[in-house]
Amino acid sequence: MKGLLLQDCVRDQLAEFLPRALEKALASYHAHMDQDIKGTDFSFSTYHKDSKVAISHVELLIKLAKWVDESAPQDQAPLIPEDILALAEEDIAAFRELD
C-alpha cells in the first residue's frame, strides 16, 4: 500500500510539472531549429547533434507523460493536456523525417 501511495504522489507531481516542461522543451527546440544557419559561425554537425539531444529530451518527457496518464485511475481524465502531447509527437515525427 505504501508503494501505491508513493506512486500516486510521484504521478501527481509529474502531472503538475510535465506540461510546463514539455512546453519549455518544445519552445527551446523550435528556437534552436529556427536559428540562422547562414551565419559564419554555423556548424552543421553541432547543430545536428544539439537537435538530436533536444528531441531526445522531448521523447523522454513524452514517455513520462504517457506513464502519468496510464497509471492514473481509469475514471480520471488525462492529466497531461493532449494538445501538448500531440505537438511534441508531431515535432518528433518531423525531426525523424529530416534526420
Side-chain angles (χ1 to χ4, degrees):
M1 188 64 154
K2 188 175 183 179
L4 185 58
L5 294 175
L6 178 61
Q7 180 176 327
D8 291 344
C9 182
V10 169
R11 183 188 63 238
D12 292 345
Q13 289 176 348
L14 282 171
E16 184 179 327
F17 165 79
L18 283 170
R20 288 188 319 267
L22 269 167
E23 287 174 346
K24 188 172 183 177
L26 290 172
S28 178
Y29 170 72
H30 284 244
H32 173 74
M33 295 302 286
D34 292 340
Q35 70 178 307
D36 181 19
I37 61 173
K38 295 178 183 173
T40 57
D41 60 342
F42 179 77
S43 166
F44 179 77
S45 62
T46 301
Y47 175 81
H48 189 67
K49 177 184 63 86
D50 291 347
S51 299
K52 283 187 164 197
V53 169
I55 211 68
S56 294
H57 183 211
V58 171
E59 285 177 317
L60 176 61
L61 292 173
I62 288 173
K63 287 178 184 177
L64 283 170
K66 288 183 177 183
W67 174 81
V68 164
D69 281 336
E70 289 170 2
S71 65
Q74 293 296 329
D75 61 342
Q76 195 170 21
L79 299 172
I80 308 299
E82 292 179 20
D83 59 329
I84 295 172
L85 280 177
L87 177 60
E89 289 176 331
E90 288 171 14
D91 283 346
I92 289 171
F95 178 80
R96 295 291 178 230
E97 287 177 12
L98 293 174
D99 194 22

Coordinates of all heavy atoms in Angstrom, one line a residue:
M1 N 0.8 -1.2 0.0 CA 0.0 0.0 0.0 C 0.9 1.3 0.0 O 0.5 2.2 -0.7 CB -0.9 0.0 1.2 CG -2.0 1.0 1.2 SD -3.1 0.8 -0.2 CE -4.5 1.6 0.4
K2 N 2.0 1.2 0.7 CA 2.9 2.4 0.8 C 3.4 2.7 -0.6 O 3.6 3.9 -1.0 CB 4.0 2.1 1.8 CG 4.8 3.3 2.1 CD 5.8 3.1 3.2 CE 6.6 4.3 3.5 NZ 7.6 4.1 4.6
G3 N 3.8 1.7 -1.3 CA 4.3 1.9 -2.7 C 3.3 2.5 -3.6 O 3.6 3.3 -4.4
L4 N 2.1 2.1 -3.4 CA 1.0 2.7 -4.2 C 0.8 4.2 -3.9 O 0.7 5.0 -4.8 CB -0.3 2.0 -4.0 CG -1.5 2.4 -4.9 CD1 -1.1 2.2 -6.4 CD2 -2.7 1.6 -4.6
L5 N 0.9 4.6 -2.6 CA 0.8 6.0 -2.3 C 2.0 6.8 -2.8 O 1.8 7.9 -3.3 CB 0.8 6.1 -0.7 CG -0.5 5.5 -0.1 CD1 -0.4 5.6 1.5 CD2 -1.7 6.2 -0.5
L6 N 3.2 6.2 -2.8 CA 4.3 6.9 -3.4 C 4.2 7.1 -4.9 O 4.4 8.1 -5.4 CB 5.6 6.1 -3.1 CG 6.9 6.6 -3.7 CD1 7.2 8.0 -3.1 CD2 8.1 5.7 -3.4
Q7 N 3.7 6.0 -5.6 CA 3.4 6.1 -7.0 C 2.4 7.2 -7.3 O 2.6 8.0 -8.2 CB 3.0 4.8 -7.6 CG 2.7 4.8 -9.0 CD 2.3 3.5 -9.6 OE1 2.8 2.5 -9.1 NE2 1.4 3.5 -10.6
D8 N 1.4 7.3 -6.5 CA 0.3 8.3 -6.7 C 0.9 9.7 -6.5 O 0.6 10.6 -7.3 CB -0.8 8.1 -5.7 CG -1.7 6.9 -6.0 OD1 -1.5 6.4 -7.2 OD2 -2.4 6.5 -5.1
C9 N 1.8 9.8 -5.5 CA 2.4 11.1 -5.2 C 3.3 11.5 -6.3 O 3.3 12.7 -6.8 CB 3.2 11.0 -3.9 SG 4.0 12.6 -3.4
V10 N 4.1 10.6 -6.8 CA 5.0 10.9 -7.9 C 4.2 11.2 -9.2 O 4.6 12.2 -9.9 CB 6.0 9.7 -8.2 CG1 6.7 9.9 -9.5 CG2 6.9 9.5 -7.0
R11 N 3.2 10.5 -9.5 CA 2.4 10.8 -10.6 C 1.8 12.2 -10.5 O 1.8 12.9 -11.5 CB 1.2 9.7 -10.7 CG 0.4 9.9 -12.0 CD -0.8 9.0 -12.0 NE -1.7 9.3 -10.9 CZ -2.1 8.5 -10.0 NH1 -1.7 7.2 -10.1 NH2 -2.9 8.8 -9.0
D12 N 1.3 12.5 -9.4 CA 0.6 13.8 -9.2 C 1.7 15.0 -9.4 O 1.4 16.0 -10.0 CB 0.0 14.0 -7.9 CG -1.2 13.1 -7.7 OD1 -1.7 12.5 -8.7 OD2 -1.7 12.9 -6.6
Q13 N 2.9 14.8 -8.9 CA 3.9 15.8 -9.0 C 4.3 15.9 -10.5 O 4.5 17.0 -11.0 CB 5.1 15.5 -8.2 CG 4.9 15.7 -6.7 CD 6.0 15.3 -5.8 OE1 7.0 14.6 -6.3 NE2 6.0 15.6 -4.6
L14 N 4.5 14.8 -11.2 CA 4.8 14.8 -12.6 C 3.7 15.4 -13.4 O 4.0 16.2 -14.4 CB 5.1 13.4 -13.1 CG 6.5 12.8 -12.7 CD1 6.6 11.4 -13.1 CD2 7.6 13.6 -13.4
A15 N 2.5 15.1 -13.1 CA 1.3 15.7 -13.8 C 1.4 17.2 -13.7 O 1.0 17.9 -14.7 CB 0.0 15.2 -13.3
E16 N 1.8 17.8 -12.6 CA 1.9 19.2 -12.4 C 3.1 19.8 -13.2 O 3.0 20.8 -13.8 CB 2.0 19.5 -11.0 CG 2.0 21.0 -10.7 CD 2.1 21.3 -9.2 OE1 1.6 20.5 -8.4 OE2 2.7 22.3 -8.8
F17 N 4.2 19.1 -13.2 CA 5.4 19.5 -13.8 C 5.5 19.4 -15.3 O 6.0 20.3 -16.0 CB 6.6 18.8 -13.1 CG 7.9 18.9 -13.8 CD1 8.7 20.0 -13.7 CD2 8.4 17.9 -14.6 CE1 9.9 20.1 -14.3 CE2 9.6 17.9 -15.3 CZ 10.4 19.1 -15.1
L18 N 5.1 18.3 -15.8 CA 5.3 17.9 -17.2 C 4.7 18.8 -18.3 O 5.4 19.1 -19.3 CB 4.8 16.5 -17.5 CG 5.8 15.4 -17.0 CD1 5.2 14.0 -17.1 CD2 7.1 15.4 -17.7
P19 N 3.5 19.4 -18.1 CA 3.0 20.3 -19.2 C 3.9 21.5 -19.4 O 4.3 21.8 -20.5 CB 1.6 20.7 -18.7 CG 1.2 19.5 -17.8 CD 2.4 19.0 -17.2
R20 N 4.4 22.1 -18.3 CA 5.3 23.2 -18.4 C 6.6 22.8 -19.0 O 7.2 23.5 -19.8 CB 5.5 23.9 -17.0 CG 4.3 24.7 -16.5 CD 4.6 25.5 -15.3 NE 5.4 24.8 -14.3 CZ 4.9 24.1 -13.3 NH1 3.6 23.9 -13.1 NH2 5.7 23.5 -12.4
A21 N 7.1 21.6 -18.5 CA 8.4 21.1 -19.0 C 8.4 20.9 -20.5 O 9.3 21.2 -21.2 CB 8.8 19.9 -18.2
L22 N 7.3 20.2 -21.0 CA 7.1 20.0 -22.4 C 7.0 21.3 -23.2 O 7.7 21.4 -24.2 CB 5.9 19.1 -22.6 CG 6.1 17.6 -22.7 CD1 4.8 16.9 -22.6 CD2 6.9 17.2 -23.9
E23 N 6.2 22.2 -22.7 CA 6.1 23.5 -23.4 C 7.5 24.2 -23.5 O 7.8 24.7 -24.6 CB 5.1 24.4 -22.7 CG 3.7 24.0 -22.9 CD 2.7 24.8 -22.1 OE1 3.1 25.5 -21.2 OE2 1.5 24.7 -22.4
K24 N 8.2 24.2 -22.4 CA 9.5 24.8 -22.4 C 10.5 24.1 -23.3 O 11.3 24.7 -24.1 CB 10.1 24.9 -21.0 CG 11.3 25.7 -20.8 CD 11.7 25.9 -19.4 CE 12.9 26.8 -19.3 NZ 13.3 27.0 -17.9
A25 N 10.5 22.8 -23.3 CA 11.4 22.0 -24.1 C 11.1 22.2 -25.6 O 12.0 22.3 -26.4 CB 11.3 20.5 -23.8
L26 N 9.8 22.2 -25.9 CA 9.4 22.5 -27.3 C 9.7 23.9 -27.8 O 10.2 24.0 -28.9 CB 7.9 22.2 -27.5 CG 7.5 20.7 -27.4 CD1 5.9 20.6 -27.3 CD2 8.0 19.9 -28.5
A27 N 9.5 24.9 -26.9 CA 9.9 26.2 -27.3 C 11.4 26.3 -27.6 O 11.8 27.0 -28.5 CB 9.5 27.2 -26.2
S28 N 12.2 25.7 -26.7 CA 13.6 25.7 -26.9 C 14.0 25.0 -28.2 O 14.9 25.5 -28.9 CB 14.3 25.0 -25.7 OG 15.7 25.0 -25.8
Y29 N 13.4 23.8 -28.4 CA 13.7 23.1 -29.6 C 13.3 23.9 -30.9 O 14.1 24.0 -31.8 CB 12.9 21.8 -29.6 CG 12.9 21.0 -30.9 CD1 14.0 20.4 -31.4 CD2 11.8 21.0 -31.7 CE1 14.1 19.7 -32.6 CE2 11.8 20.3 -32.9 CZ 12.9 19.6 -33.3 OH 12.9 19.0 -34.5
H30 N 12.2 24.6 -30.9 CA 11.8 25.4 -32.0 C 12.7 26.5 -32.2 O 13.1 26.9 -33.4 CB 10.3 25.9 -31.8 CG 9.3 24.9 -32.1 ND1 8.4 25.0 -33.1 CD2 9.0 23.7 -31.4 CE1 7.6 23.9 -33.1 NE2 8.0 23.1 -32.1
A31 N 13.2 27.2 -31.1 CA 14.1 28.3 -31.3 C 15.4 27.8 -31.9 O 16.0 28.4 -32.7 CB 14.4 28.9 -29.9
H32 N 15.9 26.6 -31.4 CA 17.1 26.0 -32.0 C 16.9 25.7 -33.5 O 17.8 26.1 -34.3 CB 17.5 24.8 -31.2 CG 18.6 24.0 -31.8 ND1 19.9 24.5 -31.7 CD2 18.7 22.9 -32.5 CE1 20.7 23.6 -32.4 NE2 20.0 22.7 -32.9
M33 N 15.9 25.1 -33.8 CA 15.6 24.7 -35.2 C 15.5 25.9 -36.1 O 15.8 25.9 -37.3 CB 14.4 23.8 -35.4 CG 14.6 22.4 -34.7 SD 16.0 21.5 -35.3 CE 15.5 20.9 -36.8
D34 N 15.0 27.1 -35.6 CA 14.7 28.3 -36.4 C 15.9 29.2 -36.4 O 15.8 30.3 -37.1 CB 13.5 29.0 -35.8 CG 12.2 28.2 -36.0 OD1 12.2 27.3 -36.9 OD2 11.3 28.5 -35.3
Q35 N 17.0 28.8 -35.8 CA 18.2 29.8 -35.8 C 18.7 30.0 -37.2 O 18.5 29.1 -38.1 CB 19.2 29.3 -34.8 CG 20.0 28.0 -35.3 CD 21.1 27.6 -34.3 OE1 21.9 28.4 -34.0 NE2 21.0 26.4 -33.9
D36 N 19.4 31.0 -37.4 CA 20.0 31.4 -38.6 C 21.2 30.4 -39.0 O 22.2 30.4 -38.3 CB 20.5 32.8 -38.6 CG 21.1 33.3 -39.9 OD1 20.9 32.6 -41.0 OD2 21.9 34.3 -39.9
I37 N 21.0 29.7 -40.0 CA 22.1 28.7 -40.4 C 23.0 29.2 -41.4 O 23.9 28.6 -41.9 CB 21.5 27.3 -40.8 CG1 20.6 27.6 -42.1 CG2 20.7 26.7 -39.7 CD1 20.1 26.3 -42.7
K38 N 22.8 30.5 -41.8 CA 23.7 31.1 -42.8 C 24.8 31.9 -42.2 O 25.6 32.4 -42.9 CB 22.8 32.0 -43.7 CG 21.8 31.2 -44.5 CD 21.0 32.1 -45.4 CE 20.0 31.2 -46.1 NZ 19.0 32.0 -46.8
G39 N 24.9 32.0 -40.9 CA 25.9 32.7 -40.2 C 27.3 32.1 -40.4 O 27.4 30.9 -40.7
T40 N 28.3 32.8 -40.2 CA 29.7 32.3 -40.5 C 30.1 31.4 -39.4 O 31.0 30.5 -39.6 CB 30.7 33.5 -40.5 OG1 30.6 34.2 -39.3 CG2 30.4 34.4 -41.7
D41 N 29.5 31.5 -38.2 CA 29.9 30.6 -37.1 C 29.0 29.3 -37.0 O 29.1 28.6 -36.0 CB 30.0 31.3 -35.8 CG 28.6 31.9 -35.4 OD1 27.7 32.0 -36.3 OD2 28.4 32.2 -34.2
F42 N 28.3 29.1 -38.0 CA 27.4 27.9 -38.0 C 28.1 26.6 -38.3 O 29.0 26.5 -39.2 CB 26.3 28.1 -39.1 CG 25.3 26.9 -39.2 CD1 24.4 26.7 -38.2 CD2 25.5 25.9 -40.1 CE1 23.5 25.7 -38.2 CE2 24.6 24.9 -40.2 CZ 23.6 24.7 -39.2
S43 N 27.9 25.6 -37.5 CA 28.5 24.3 -37.6 C 27.4 23.3 -37.7 O 26.6 23.1 -36.8 CB 29.4 24.0 -36.4 OG 29.7 22.6 -36.4
F44 N 27.2 22.7 -38.9 CA 26.1 21.7 -39.1 C 26.2 20.6 -38.2 O 25.2 20.1 -37.6 CB 26.1 21.2 -40.6 CG 25.0 20.2 -40.8 CD1 23.7 20.6 -40.9 CD2 25.3 18.8 -40.8 CE1 22.7 19.7 -41.1 CE2 24.3 17.9 -40.9 CZ 23.0 18.3 -41.1
S45 N 27.4 20.0 -37.9 CA 27.5 18.9 -37.0 C 27.0 19.2 -35.6 O 26.3 18.4 -34.9 CB 28.9 18.3 -37.0 OG 29.8 19.2 -36.5
T46 N 27.4 20.4 -35.1 CA 27.0 20.8 -33.8 C 25.5 21.0 -33.8 O 24.8 20.6 -32.8 CB 27.7 22.1 -33.4 OG1 29.1 21.8 -33.3 CG2 27.3 22.6 -32.0
Y47 N 25.0 21.7 -34.8 CA 23.5 22.0 -34.9 C 22.8 20.6 -34.9 O 21.8 20.5 -34.2 CB 23.3 22.7 -36.2 CG 21.9 23.0 -36.6 CD1 21.2 24.0 -36.0 CD2 21.2 22.2 -37.5 CE1 19.8 24.3 -36.3 CE2 19.9 22.5 -37.9 CZ 19.2 23.5 -37.3 OH 17.9 23.7 -37.6
H48 N 23.2 19.7 -35.7 CA 22.5 18.4 -35.8 C 22.6 17.6 -34.4 O 21.6 17.1 -34.0 CB 23.1 17.6 -36.9 CG 22.3 16.3 -37.2 ND1 21.1 16.4 -37.7 CD2 22.6 15.0 -37.0 CE1 20.6 15.1 -37.9 NE2 21.6 14.3 -37.5
K49 N 23.8 17.6 -33.8 CA 23.9 17.0 -32.5 C 23.0 17.6 -31.5 O 22.3 16.9 -30.7 CB 25.4 17.0 -32.1 CG 25.6 16.4 -30.7 CD 27.1 16.6 -30.2 CE 27.5 18.0 -30.0 NZ 27.2 18.7 -28.8
D50 N 23.0 18.9 -31.4 CA 22.1 19.6 -30.5 C 20.7 19.3 -30.7 O 19.9 19.2 -29.8 CB 22.4 21.1 -30.5 CG 23.8 21.5 -29.9 OD1 24.5 20.6 -29.3 OD2 24.2 22.6 -30.1
S51 N 20.3 19.2 -32.0 CA 18.9 18.9 -32.3 C 18.5 17.5 -31.8 O 17.4 17.3 -31.3 CB 18.7 19.0 -33.9 OG 19.0 20.3 -34.3
K52 N 19.4 16.6 -32.0 CA 19.2 15.2 -31.5 C 19.0 15.2 -30.0 O 18.2 14.4 -29.5 CB 20.3 14.2 -32.0 CG 20.2 13.9 -33.4 CD 21.2 12.8 -33.7 CE 20.8 12.1 -35.0 NZ 21.5 10.9 -35.2
V53 N 19.9 15.9 -29.3 CA 19.8 16.0 -27.8 C 18.4 16.5 -27.4 O 17.7 16.0 -26.5 CB 20.9 16.8 -27.2 CG1 20.7 17.1 -25.8 CG2 22.3 16.0 -27.4
A54 N 18.0 17.6 -28.1 CA 16.8 18.3 -27.8 C 15.6 17.4 -28.0 O 14.7 17.2 -27.2 CB 16.6 19.6 -28.6
I55 N 15.6 16.7 -29.1 CA 14.4 15.8 -29.5 C 14.4 14.6 -28.6 O 13.4 14.1 -28.2 CB 14.4 15.4 -31.0 CG1 13.0 15.3 -31.5 CG2 15.2 14.2 -31.3 CD1 12.2 16.5 -31.5
S56 N 15.6 14.1 -28.1 CA 15.6 13.0 -27.2 C 15.0 13.4 -25.8 O 14.3 12.6 -25.2 CB 17.1 12.5 -26.9 OG 17.6 12.0 -28.1
H57 N 15.3 14.7 -25.4 CA 14.7 15.2 -24.2 C 13.2 15.2 -24.3 O 12.5 14.8 -23.4 CB 15.3 16.6 -24.0 CG 14.8 17.2 -22.7 ND1 14.7 18.6 -22.6 CD2 14.5 16.7 -21.5 CE1 14.3 18.9 -21.4 NE2 14.1 17.8 -20.7
V58 N 12.7 15.7 -25.4 CA 11.2 15.8 -25.7 C 10.7 14.3 -25.6 O 9.6 14.1 -25.0 CB 10.9 16.5 -27.0 CG1 9.4 16.3 -27.3 CG2 11.3 18.0 -26.9
E59 N 11.3 13.4 -26.2 CA 10.9 12.0 -26.2 C 10.8 11.4 -24.8 O 9.8 10.8 -24.5 CB 11.8 11.1 -27.1 CG 11.6 11.3 -28.6 CD 12.6 10.4 -29.4 OE1 13.8 10.4 -29.0 OE2 12.1 9.9 -30.4
L60 N 11.7 11.7 -24.0 CA 11.7 11.3 -22.6 C 10.5 11.9 -21.9 O 9.8 11.2 -21.1 CB 13.0 11.6 -21.9 CG 13.1 11.3 -20.4 CD1 12.9 9.8 -20.2 CD2 14.4 11.7 -19.8
L61 N 10.3 13.2 -22.1 CA 9.2 13.8 -21.4 C 7.9 13.2 -21.9 O 6.9 13.1 -21.1 CB 9.2 15.4 -21.7 CG 10.4 16.1 -21.0 CD1 10.4 17.6 -21.5 CD2 10.3 16.1 -19.5
I62 N 7.8 12.9 -23.1 CA 6.5 12.2 -23.6 C 6.3 10.9 -23.0 O 5.2 10.5 -22.6 CB 6.6 12.1 -25.2 CG1 6.4 13.4 -25.8 CG2 5.5 11.1 -25.7 CD1 6.6 13.4 -27.3
K63 N 7.4 10.1 -22.8 CA 7.3 8.8 -22.2 C 6.8 9.0 -20.7 O 6.0 8.2 -20.3 CB 8.6 8.1 -22.2 CG 9.0 7.5 -23.6 CD 10.3 6.9 -23.6 CE 10.7 6.4 -25.0 NZ 12.0 5.8 -25.1
L64 N 7.4 9.9 -20.0 CA 6.9 10.2 -18.7 C 5.4 10.6 -18.7 O 4.7 10.2 -17.8 CB 7.8 11.3 -18.0 CG 9.1 10.9 -17.5 CD1 10.0 12.1 -17.2 CD2 9.0 9.9 -16.4
A65 N 5.1 11.5 -19.6 CA 3.7 11.9 -19.7 C 2.7 10.8 -19.9 O 1.6 10.7 -19.3 CB 3.5 13.0 -20.7
K66 N 3.1 9.9 -20.8 CA 2.2 8.7 -21.1 C 2.2 7.8 -19.8 O 1.1 7.2 -19.5 CB 2.8 8.0 -22.3 CG 2.5 8.7 -23.6 CD 2.9 8.0 -24.8 CE 2.5 8.8 -26.0 NZ 2.9 8.1 -27.2
W67 N 3.3 7.6 -19.1 CA 3.2 6.8 -17.9 C 2.3 7.5 -16.9 O 1.5 6.8 -16.2 CB 4.6 6.7 -17.3 CG 4.5 6.0 -15.9 CD1 4.4 4.7 -15.7 CD2 4.5 6.6 -14.6 NE1 4.4 4.4 -14.3 CE2 4.4 5.6 -13.7 CE3 4.5 8.0 -14.2 CZ2 4.3 5.9 -12.3 CZ3 4.5 8.2 -12.9 CH2 4.4 7.2 -11.9
V68 N 2.3 8.8 -16.7 CA 1.5 9.5 -15.8 C 0.0 9.2 -16.1 O -0.8 8.9 -15.3 CB 1.7 11.0 -15.8 CG1 0.6 11.8 -15.2 CG2 3.1 11.4 -15.2
D69 N -0.4 9.3 -17.4 CA -1.8 9.1 -17.8 C -2.2 7.7 -17.7 O -3.3 7.3 -17.3 CB -2.0 9.7 -19.2 CG -2.2 11.2 -19.1 OD1 -2.6 11.7 -18.1 OD2 -2.0 11.8 -20.2
E70 N -1.2 6.7 -18.0 CA -1.6 5.3 -18.0 C -1.7 4.8 -16.5 O -2.4 3.9 -16.3 CB -0.5 4.5 -18.7 CG -0.6 4.7 -20.2 CD 0.6 4.1 -20.9 OE1 1.5 3.5 -20.3 OE2 0.7 4.2 -22.2
S71 N -1.0 5.4 -15.6 CA -1.0 5.0 -14.2 C -2.1 5.7 -13.4 O -2.4 5.3 -12.3 CB 0.3 5.2 -13.5 OG 0.6 6.6 -13.4
A72 N -2.8 6.6 -14.0 CA -3.9 7.3 -13.4 C -5.1 6.4 -13.3 O -5.3 5.5 -14.2 CB -4.3 8.6 -14.1
P73 N -6.0 6.6 -12.3 CA -7.3 5.8 -12.3 C -8.0 5.9 -13.6 O -8.0 7.0 -14.2 CB -8.0 6.4 -11.1 CG -7.0 7.0 -10.3 CD -5.9 7.5 -11.2
Q74 N -8.7 4.9 -14.0 CA -9.4 4.9 -15.3 C -10.5 6.0 -15.4 O -10.8 6.4 -16.5 CB -10.1 3.5 -15.5 CG -9.1 2.4 -15.7 CD -8.3 2.5 -17.0 OE1 -8.7 3.1 -18.0 NE2 -7.0 2.1 -17.0
D75 N -11.1 6.3 -14.3 CA -12.2 7.3 -14.3 C -11.6 8.7 -14.3 O -12.4 9.7 -14.4 CB -13.1 7.1 -13.1 CG -12.4 7.3 -11.8 OD1 -11.2 7.2 -11.7 OD2 -13.2 7.5 -10.8
Q76 N -10.3 8.9 -14.3 CA -9.7 10.2 -14.3 C -9.4 10.7 -15.7 O -8.9 9.9 -16.5 CB -8.5 10.2 -13.4 CG -7.9 11.5 -13.1 CD -6.8 11.4 -12.0 OE1 -6.2 10.4 -11.9 NE2 -6.6 12.5 -11.3
A77 N -9.7 11.9 -16.0 CA -9.3 12.5 -17.3 C -7.8 12.5 -17.5 O -7.1 12.5 -16.5 CB -9.9 13.9 -17.4
P78 N -7.3 12.5 -18.7 CA -5.9 12.6 -18.9 C -5.3 13.8 -18.1 O -5.8 14.9 -18.1 CB -5.7 12.8 -20.4 CG -6.9 12.3 -21.0 CD -8.0 12.5 -20.0
L79 N -4.2 13.6 -17.4 CA -3.6 14.6 -16.6 C -2.7 15.5 -17.4 O -2.5 16.7 -17.1 CB -2.7 13.9 -15.5 CG -3.5 13.0 -14.5 CD1 -2.6 12.3 -13.6 CD2 -4.5 13.9 -13.7
I80 N -2.2 15.0 -18.5 CA -1.3 15.8 -19.4 C -2.2 16.3 -20.6 O -2.8 15.4 -21.3 CB -0.1 15.0 -19.9 CG1 0.6 14.3 -18.8 CG2 0.8 15.9 -20.8 CD1 1.2 15.3 -17.7
P81 N -2.3 17.6 -20.9 CA -3.1 18.0 -22.0 C -2.7 17.4 -23.3 O -1.5 17.3 -23.7 CB -2.8 19.5 -22.0 CG -2.4 19.9 -20.6 CD -1.6 18.7 -20.1
E82 N -3.7 16.9 -24.0 CA -3.5 16.1 -25.2 C -2.9 17.0 -26.3 O -2.1 16.5 -27.1 CB -4.8 15.5 -25.7 CG -5.2 14.4 -24.8 CD -6.5 13.7 -25.2 OE1 -6.9 13.9 -26.4 OE2 -7.2 13.1 -24.4
D83 N -3.2 18.3 -26.3 CA -2.6 19.2 -27.4 C -1.1 19.3 -27.2 O -0.4 19.4 -28.2 CB -3.3 20.5 -27.4 CG -3.2 21.3 -26.0 OD1 -3.1 20.6 -25.0 OD2 -3.2 22.5 -26.1
I84 N -0.6 19.3 -26.0 CA 0.8 19.4 -25.8 C 1.5 18.1 -26.3 O 2.5 18.2 -27.0 CB 1.1 19.7 -24.3 CG1 0.6 21.1 -23.9 CG2 2.6 19.6 -24.1 CD1 0.7 21.4 -22.4
L85 N 0.9 17.0 -25.9 CA 1.5 15.7 -26.4 C 1.5 15.6 -27.9 O 2.4 15.1 -28.5 CB 0.7 14.5 -25.7 CG 1.1 14.2 -24.3 CD1 0.2 13.1 -23.8 CD2 2.5 13.8 -24.2
A86 N 0.4 16.0 -28.5 CA 0.3 15.9 -29.9 C 1.3 16.8 -30.6 O 2.0 16.4 -31.6 CB -1.1 16.4 -30.4
L87 N 1.5 18.0 -30.1 CA 2.5 18.9 -30.7 C 3.9 18.3 -30.6 O 4.7 18.3 -31.5 CB 2.5 20.3 -30.0 CG 3.6 21.3 -30.5 CD1 3.4 21.6 -32.0 CD2 3.5 22.6 -29.7
A88 N 4.2 17.7 -29.4 CA 5.5 17.1 -29.2 C 5.7 15.9 -30.1 O 6.8 15.8 -30.7 CB 5.6 16.7 -27.7
E89 N 4.7 15.1 -30.3 CA 4.8 13.9 -31.1 C 5.0 14.4 -32.6 O 5.7 13.7 -33.4 CB 3.7 13.0 -30.9 CG 3.8 12.3 -29.6 CD 2.6 11.4 -29.2 OE1 1.5 11.6 -29.7 OE2 2.8 10.4 -28.5
E90 N 4.3 15.4 -33.0 CA 4.4 16.0 -34.4 C 5.9 16.5 -34.6 O 6.4 16.2 -35.7 CB 3.5 17.1 -34.6 CG 2.0 16.6 -34.7 CD 1.0 17.8 -34.8 OE1 1.5 19.0 -34.9 OE2 -0.2 17.6 -34.6
D91 N 6.4 17.1 -33.6 CA 7.8 17.6 -33.7 C 8.8 16.5 -33.9 O 9.7 16.5 -34.6 CB 8.2 18.5 -32.5 CG 7.6 19.9 -32.6 OD1 7.1 20.3 -33.7 OD2 7.6 20.6 -31.6
I92 N 8.6 15.4 -33.1 CA 9.5 14.3 -33.2 C 9.4 13.6 -34.6 O 10.4 13.3 -35.2 CB 9.1 13.2 -32.1 CG1 9.6 13.8 -30.7 CG2 9.8 11.9 -32.3 CD1 9.1 13.0 -29.5
A93 N 8.1 13.5 -35.0 CA 8.0 12.9 -36.4 C 8.6 13.7 -37.4 O 9.3 13.2 -38.3 CB 6.5 12.7 -36.7
A94 N 8.5 15.0 -37.4 CA 9.1 15.9 -38.3 C 10.6 15.9 -38.3 O 11.3 15.8 -39.3 CB 8.6 17.4 -38.1
F95 N 11.1 15.8 -37.1 CA 12.6 15.6 -37.0 C 13.1 14.3 -37.5 O 14.1 14.3 -38.2 CB 13.0 15.8 -35.5 CG 14.5 15.6 -35.3 CD1 15.3 16.7 -35.6 CD2 15.1 14.4 -34.9 CE1 16.7 16.6 -35.4 CE2 16.4 14.3 -34.8 CZ 17.3 15.3 -35.0
R96 N 12.4 13.3 -37.3 CA 12.8 12.0 -37.8 C 12.8 12.0 -39.4 O 13.6 11.3 -40.0 CB 11.8 10.8 -37.3 CG 11.9 10.6 -35.8 CD 13.3 10.1 -35.4 NE 13.4 9.9 -34.0 CZ 14.4 10.4 -33.3 NH1 15.4 10.9 -33.8 NH2 14.4 10.2 -32.0
E97 N 11.8 12.7 -40.0 CA 11.8 12.8 -41.4 C 13.0 13.6 -41.9 O 13.5 13.2 -43.0 CB 10.5 13.5 -41.9 CG 9.2 12.7 -41.7 CD 8.0 13.4 -42.1 OE1 8.1 14.5 -42.7 OE2 6.9 13.0 -41.8
L98 N 13.5 14.5 -41.2 CA 14.6 15.3 -41.6 C 15.9 14.6 -41.4 O 16.9 14.8 -42.1 CB 14.7 16.6 -40.8 CG 13.6 17.7 -41.1 CD1 13.8 18.8 -40.1 CD2 13.7 18.1 -42.5
D99 N 15.9 13.7 -40.4 CA 17.2 13.0 -40.0 C 17.7 12.0 -40.9 O 17.3 11.2 -41.5 CB 16.9 12.4 -38.6 CG 18.2 12.0 -37.9 OD1 19.3 12.5 -38.3 OD2 18.2 11.1 -37.0

